[in-house]
């Protein structure tokens, strides 16, 4: 443990002297995004029948723990980082929004486990866009270090995915309310609402990284 702290301190001093940014922060963000993408793929496997609802619910707990640990590391690193890729406030916003994406995916899987809605394959297009948005955020975080000028474009791609999820949500709500308000339809409404919240969080993460990039 002590050796790890010394190595992180050495790396920060090296980065400061060479004008490089503290890569521990981007590594933690990428770790968060990796866990979040795993959560999205797990949700996709669940609605496709490749993973049972109970099993998905249990696996999501492990994935959520990994995401929480990466967020904890980011907050810890943020307290002592000498050079940050974007403002600390924007980094914290970005991390919090990524955390919100994973939390909402967890809720989607948990509520699917509880509600037992039969036809969930129809949520595939929404989850497709969730993965597109996470991929775009991942690219944006990588570009913070390697290609800062590309971050705005990456953030826009993530924002587009968030907007696409919102549109799909609206169509799903229209479909749900076009028939009799049965218990099954209300369960569907709750599930699709969870995915809308995921889209909102992706858009908020895109705004955070775009705002931070513009201030540089």
């Amino acid at each position: 443990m002590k050796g790890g702290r010394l190595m992180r301190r050495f790396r920060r001093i090296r980065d400061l002297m060479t004008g490089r940014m503290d890569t521990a922060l981007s590594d933690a963000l990428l770790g968060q995004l990796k866990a979040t993408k795993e959560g999205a793929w797990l949700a996709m496997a669940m609605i496709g029948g490749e993973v049972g609802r109970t099993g998905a619910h249990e696996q999501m707990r492990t994935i959520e723990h990994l995401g929480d640990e990466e967020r904890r590391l980011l907050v810890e690193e943020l307290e002592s980082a000498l050079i940050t890729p974007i403002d600390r406030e924007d980094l914290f916003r970005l991390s919090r929004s990524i955390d919100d994406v994973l939390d909402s995916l967890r809720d989607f899987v948990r509520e699917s486990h509880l509600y037992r809605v039969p036809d969930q394959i129809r949520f595939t297009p929404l989850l497709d866009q969730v993965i597109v948005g996470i991929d775009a955020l991942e690219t944006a975080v990588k570009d913070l270090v390697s290609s800062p000028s590309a971050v705005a474009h990456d953030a826009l791609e993530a924002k587009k995915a968030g907007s696409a999820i919102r549109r799909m949500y609206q169509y799903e709500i229209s479909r749900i309310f076009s028939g009799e308000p049965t218990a099954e339809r209300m369960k569907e409404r709750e599930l699709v609402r969870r995915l809308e919240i995921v889209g909102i969080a992706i858009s908020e993460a895109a705004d955070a990284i775009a705002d931070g990039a513009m201030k540089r």
Side-chain angles (χ1 to χ4, degrees), residues 42-195:
L42 176 61
M44 185 75 84
M46 180 193 68
I47 67 171
E50 299 169 39
V51 178
R53 297 175 209 247
T54 302
H57 179 49
E58 293 171 353
Q59 289 180 47
M60 186 61 87
R61 292 176 183 171
T62 301
I63 293 172
E64 183 187 15
H65 176 73
L66 292 173
D68 288 344
E69 180 62 17
E70 292 292 346
R71 178 160 166 72
R72 184 193 66 78
L73 289 173
L74 180 133
V75 172
E76 183 181 288
E77 294 285 347
L78 200 55
E79 291 175 352
S80 54
L82 297 174
I83 302 174
T84 60
I86 55 177
D87 281 358
R88 293 168 192 270
E89 178 184 347
D90 293 318
L91 275 174
F92 189 83
R93 282 174 57 206
L94 174 58
S95 176
R96 182 182 60 203
S97 296
I98 295 169
D99 188 53
D100 288 343
V101 173
L102 182 53
D103 283 351
S104 295
L105 286 168
R106 173 207 62 201
D107 290 343
F108 174 80
V109 169
R110 180 171 59 198
E111 290 175 10
S112 173
H113 169 66
L114 293 172
Y115 299 159
R116 304 286 170 173
V117 173
D119 181 22
Q120 296 189 110
I121 197 70
R122 67 177 309 104
F123 299 139
T124 299
L126 287 94
L127 282 168
D128 276 338
Q129 286 303 306
V130 169
I131 293 168
V132 168
I134 296 170
D135 281 341
L137 290 173
E138 187 175 44
T139 300
V141 171
K142 291 177 180 177
D143 282 342
L144 277 176
V145 177
S146 63
S147 183
S149 62
V151 173
H153 174 267
D154 302 332
L156 180 60
E157 292 303 305
K159 188 82 171 182
K160 287 178 180 177
S163 297
I165 294 166
R166 173 66 176 173
R167 288 194 301 273
M168 291 178 189
Y169 162 77
Q170 291 169 340
Y171 284 119
E172 282 297 308
I173 288 296
S174 176
R175 176 189 64 81
I176 290 168
F177 285 112
S178 65
E180 292 294 323
T182 63
E184 288 302 311
R185 287 180 180 272
M186 293 304 99
K187 291 175 182 179
E188 286 185 27
R189 177 185 179 277
E190 290 302 308
L191 287 178
V192 76
R193 170 61 178 157
R194 288 300 172 193
L195 295 179

